[in-house]
């Protein structure tokens, strides 16, 4: 798989916490002790269009670099909050006051943003002890808006000569950062899959700042993702199997490990006020899982064709009057066609993409954003394989997406969004009632000890089953709903719903365990029998059995008796 796809999503998320340029300034009202320096600038570079509006910089900020000071401390000392500098600049010296901020760029271009807690001075030599500062101590108002075209951004990454983006660490020039376009074939046990999937994206983002706040005043960000998901499925013969792939596994292990070690550094030029603002991104986890469950009686193939645009993102407001945090979601993904081909049987598929990126602003723990984004398409398709409808073709498909985001500061998670899930039906062709025929109820008590309360006991229930699909075998968990009545007709349990994992599954029978209550007669005695009624069984793919058939009469049992 293309390494680019991973990096393009990560690059997007990086921009949710940083931005660009430069140096127009203006004074605050006359009652201000010192004018607040404000940046207003717009422009574009590396596929990024940016607009900085009234970005206010703390007037007590002291910018320190090799241009105005000699930095004596080692990187280890500075990481521990201790800074030794030598300077003859009065502009620097007069702002070295307890409580003020320093914005120091080390000899290794690492940026430290700190609050001064104590100062020792000897001539032009200063020893500063510091503590962490908040993002609202640096940016005290204003906002940054960004729109990024991923294709142009990735060209910049690939060229490695941009002013905004560089890939460091284990970066290798041989890597390709093209937009994700996955058209390779995967073959296993008579099954061939071509994901035939391509994705590109544009990011739109606004980040606003409030004075002294730990997190930004507001963060609004969404990804406008253009996708084409057009998988082809081919079977060379009869199949009754579930296939599971994580297509990320097809990336050579050494390259995947390398990818996860690479950090993308972002530098946002802020002119003389700050110089370059650094940010850093990494990828915690990437997955592209595909599950295909097939019951096919002969050579078959079919294809799905879906494409469109969807927006997925969030708006976070940090005590902004009249605004409430919410998710951003719009979806124009549609199905263009389903190629019926010569499918003979049933195929159930699920393709999704999952990304877990992480970013940091100011090359420190002053602000970090973590995310988990998933989107995909699941489908159910049946062609010429139904026992009752031998010429039937039916297919349904759904697009789904979900996401969580968290914001942290100074090493602590400050805000985590609610999990959201959005689904959309893409197509619904044909008509097929998903039914299972369940018959021949048999039960065996499994334990002399109660399974719930004092008067309930476990029973292994064995049932025969038959699908509409030739050769289809039960798979996955079952949802079982039932009522329980006592031997004298008293209701002991109604609409009891449990999820069970069937066992001893064959081509025509399975076993489940149910916990059945019994009537208490007196303190020493419990009724010997209970009756199960109104039973329904639903499998993981939506097939439903209502009632259990008595094979002797070919009609449903009115009730099924279990004996303690």
């Amino acid at each position: 798989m293309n390494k680019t796809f991973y990096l393009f999503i990560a690059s997007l998320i990086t921009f949710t916490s940083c931005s660009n340029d430069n140096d127009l300034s203006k004074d605050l009202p006359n009652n201000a002790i010192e004018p607040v320096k404000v940046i207003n600038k717009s422009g574009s570079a590396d596929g990024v269009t940016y607009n900085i509006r009234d970005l206010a910089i703390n007037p007590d900020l002291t910018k320190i670099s090799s241009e105005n000071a000699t930095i004596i401390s080692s990187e280890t000392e500075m990481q521990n909050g201790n800074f030794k500098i030598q300077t003859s600049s009065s502009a620097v010296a007069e702002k070295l006051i307890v409580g003020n901020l320093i914005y120091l760029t080390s000899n290794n271009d690492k940026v430290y943003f700190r609050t001064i807690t104590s100062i020792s001075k000897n001539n032009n030599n200063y020893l500063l002890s510091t503590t962490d500062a908040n993002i609202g101590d640096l940016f005290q108002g204003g906002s940054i808006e960004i729109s990024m075209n991923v294709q142009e951004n990735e060209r910049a990454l690939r060229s490695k000569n941009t002013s905004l983006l560089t890939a460091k660490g284990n970066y290798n020039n041989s890597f390709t950062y093209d937009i994700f376009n996955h058209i390779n074939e995967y073959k296993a046990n008579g099954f061939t899959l071509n994901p035939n999937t391509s994705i590109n994206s544009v990011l739109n983002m606004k980040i606003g700042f409030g004075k002294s706040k730990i997190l930004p005043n507001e963060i609004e960000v969404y990804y406008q993702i253009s996708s084409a998901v057009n998988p082809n499925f081919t079977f060379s013969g009869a199949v009754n199997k579930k296939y599971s792939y994580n297509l990320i596994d097809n990336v050579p292990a050494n390259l995947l490990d390398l990818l996860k070690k690479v950090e993308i550094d972002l530098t946002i030029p802020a002119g003389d006020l700050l110089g370059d603002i650094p940010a850093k991104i990494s990828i915690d986890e990437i997955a592209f899982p595909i599950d295909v469950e097939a019951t096919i009686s002969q050579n078959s193939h079919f294809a799905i064709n879906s494409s469109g645009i969807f927006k997925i993102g969030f708006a976070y407001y940090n005590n902004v009057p009249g605004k409430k945090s919410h998710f951003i979601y719009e979806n124009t993904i549609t199905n263009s066609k389903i190629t019926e081909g010569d499918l003979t049987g049933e195929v159930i598929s699920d393709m999704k993409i999952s990304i877990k990126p992480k970013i940091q602003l100011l090359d420190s723990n002053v602000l970090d954003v973590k995310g988990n984004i998933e989107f995909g398409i699941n489908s159910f398709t049946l062609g010429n394989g139904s026992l009752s409808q031998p010429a039937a073709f039916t297919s349904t498909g759904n697009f789904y997406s979900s996401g969580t985001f968290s914001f942290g500061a100074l090493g602590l998670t400050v805000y985590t969004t609610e999990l959201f899930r959005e689904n959309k039906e893409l197509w619904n062709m044909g008509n097929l009632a998903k039914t299972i025929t369940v018959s021949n109820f048999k039960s065996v008590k499994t334990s002399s000890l109660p399974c719930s309360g004092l008067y309930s006991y476990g029973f292994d229930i064995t049932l025969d089953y038959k699908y509409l699909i030739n050769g289809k075998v039960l798979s996955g968990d079952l949802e079982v709903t039932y009522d329980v009545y006592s031997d004298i007709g008293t209701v002991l349990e109604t609409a009891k719903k449990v999820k069970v994992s069937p066992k001893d599954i064959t081509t025509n029978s399975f076993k489940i365990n149910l916990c059945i209550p019994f009537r208490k007669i007196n303190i020493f005695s419990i009724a010997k029998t209970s009756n199960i009624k109104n039973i329904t069984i639903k499998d993981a793919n939506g097939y439903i059995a209502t009632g259990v058939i008595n094979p002797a009469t070919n009609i449903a049992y009115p009730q099924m008796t279990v004996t303690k």
Side-chain angles (χ1 to χ4, degrees), residues 378-391:
N378 56 42
S379 70
F380 166 88
T381 304
L382 171 69
N384 302 315
S386 167
L387 293 174
S388 61
Q389 305 172 55

Side-chain angles (χ1 to χ4, degrees), residues 66 133 192 214 250 279 324 342 364 367 414 473 477 504 532 546 556:
S66 58
T192 301
I214 296 176
N250 292 278
K324 182 178 180 180
D342 54 4
S364 69
L367 177 67
V414 179
V473 177
D477 290 341
D504 298 340
I532 303 173
T546 302

Side-chain angles (χ1 to χ4, degrees), residues 366-503:
V366 69
L367 177 67
D368 60 69
V369 180
K370 297 177 182 178
N372 183 11
I373 301 170
E374 289 187 351
F375 58 94
I377 293 176
N378 56 42
S379 70
F380 166 88
T381 304
L382 171 69
N384 302 315
S386 167
L387 293 174
S388 61
Q389 305 172 55
F393 183 91
T394 182
S395 184
T396 59
N398 296 280
F399 177 89
Y400 61 91
S401 57
S402 65
T404 56
F405 296 90
S406 65
F407 309 96
L410 308 181
L412 299 174
T413 298
V414 179
Y415 174 81
T416 299
T417 66
E418 297 287 337
L419 175 68
F420 82 97
R421 296 186 182 277
E422 295 287 349
N423 302 298
K424 177 183 179 180
E425 183 180 86
L426 295 182
W427 70 87
N428 191 343
M429 302 171 55
N431 184 26
L432 175 73
K434 290 186 175 181
T435 60
I436 319 171
T437 300
V438 177
S439 62
N440 200 17
F441 178 91
K442 290 177 275 189
S443 69
V444 177
K445 186 180 177 184
T446 57
S447 174
S448 58
L449 298 175
C451 56
S452 176
L454 296 176
Y455 313 112
S456 297
Y457 297 89
F459 288 82
D460 269 347
I461 310 295
T462 301
L463 296 165
D464 294 340
Y465 73 97
K466 180 181 288 187
Y467 280 99
L468 292 173
I469 312 303
N470 284 314
K472 183 174 174 62
V473 177
L474 189 73
S475 66
D477 290 341
L478 297 176
E479 181 182 277
V480 183
T481 305
Y482 57 94
D483 300 333
V484 181
Y485 288 75
S486 74
D487 56 327
I488 59 173
T490 304
V491 177
L492 299 178
E493 209 155 38
T494 181
K496 174 75 170 182
K497 182 179 289 187
V498 295
K499 179 174 283 189
V500 296
S501 297
K503 53 188 177 178

Side-chain angles (χ1 to χ4, degrees), residues 527-544:
K528 294 293 185 182
T529 62
S530 285
N531 298 295
I532 303 173
K533 295 184 179 183
N534 304 321
I535 190 169
T536 63
I537 298 174
K538 183 177 181 180
D539 78 359
N541 296 316
Y543 283 87
I544 297 178

Side-chain angles (χ1 to χ4, degrees), residues 244-460:
S244 294
Y245 300 94
N246 186 349
L247 296 189
I248 197 68
D249 294 338
N250 292 278
V251 177
N254 60 329
L255 296 187
L256 184 59
D257 291 342
L258 194 60
L259 166 66
K260 292 186 178 181
K261 294 176 183 176
V262 171
E263 292 179 328
I264 303 301
D265 289 346
L266 208 75
T267 55
I268 303 97
D272 293 337
L273 294 182
L274 293 178
D276 288 340
I277 301 174
K280 184 173 290 187
I281 68 172
S282 60
I283 298 174
D284 288 343
E285 185 177 324
I286 310 157
F288 187 10
I290 293 181
D291 292 322
V292 178
E293 183 178 333
T295 304
I296 304 294
S297 59
Q298 63 185 39
N299 294 359
S300 300
H301 82 277
F302 79 104
I304 295 170
N305 302 94
S306 298
S307 61
I309 295 172
F310 75 102
K311 295 179 182 179
I312 184 171
F314 59 91
Y316 164 80
Y317 302 105
N318 187 7
N319 295 320
V320 177
K323 292 187 176 182
K324 182 178 180 180
S325 299
H326 63 274
F327 290 105
I328 298 170
Y329 183 87
E330 295 179 23
N331 190 342
T332 66
I333 300 290
T334 59
N335 169 61
S336 55
K337 65 177 180 177
I338 298 294
T339 304
E340 296 187 18
D342 54 4
L343 179 63
T344 305
E346 177 194 79
V347 176
I348 301 168
S349 69
D350 187 2
M351 299 176 56
K352 72 178 178 181
I353 295 168
S354 175
I355 312 291
K356 289 186 178 180
K358 178 182 179 181
I359 69 96
Q360 288 185 315
L361 182 62
L362 293 173
D363 200 11
S364 69
N365 62 357
V366 69
L367 177 67
D368 60 69
V369 180
K370 297 177 182 178
N372 183 11
I373 301 170
E374 289 187 351
F375 58 94
I377 293 176
N378 56 42
S379 70
F380 166 88
T381 304
L382 171 69
N384 302 315
S386 167
L387 293 174
S388 61
Q389 305 172 55
F393 183 91
T394 182
S395 184
T396 59
N398 296 280
F399 177 89
Y400 61 91
S401 57
S402 65
T404 56
F405 296 90
S406 65
F407 309 96
L410 308 181
L412 299 174
T413 298
V414 179
Y415 174 81
T416 299
T417 66
E418 297 287 337
L419 175 68
F420 82 97
R421 296 186 182 277
E422 295 287 349
N423 302 298
K424 177 183 179 180
E425 183 180 86
L426 295 182
W427 70 87
N428 191 343
M429 302 171 55
N431 184 26
L432 175 73
K434 290 186 175 181
T435 60
I436 319 171
T437 300
V438 177
S439 62
N440 200 17
F441 178 91
K442 290 177 275 189
S443 69
V444 177
K445 186 180 177 184
T446 57
S447 174
S448 58
L449 298 175
C451 56
S452 176
L454 296 176
Y455 313 112
S456 297
Y457 297 89
F459 288 82
D460 269 347

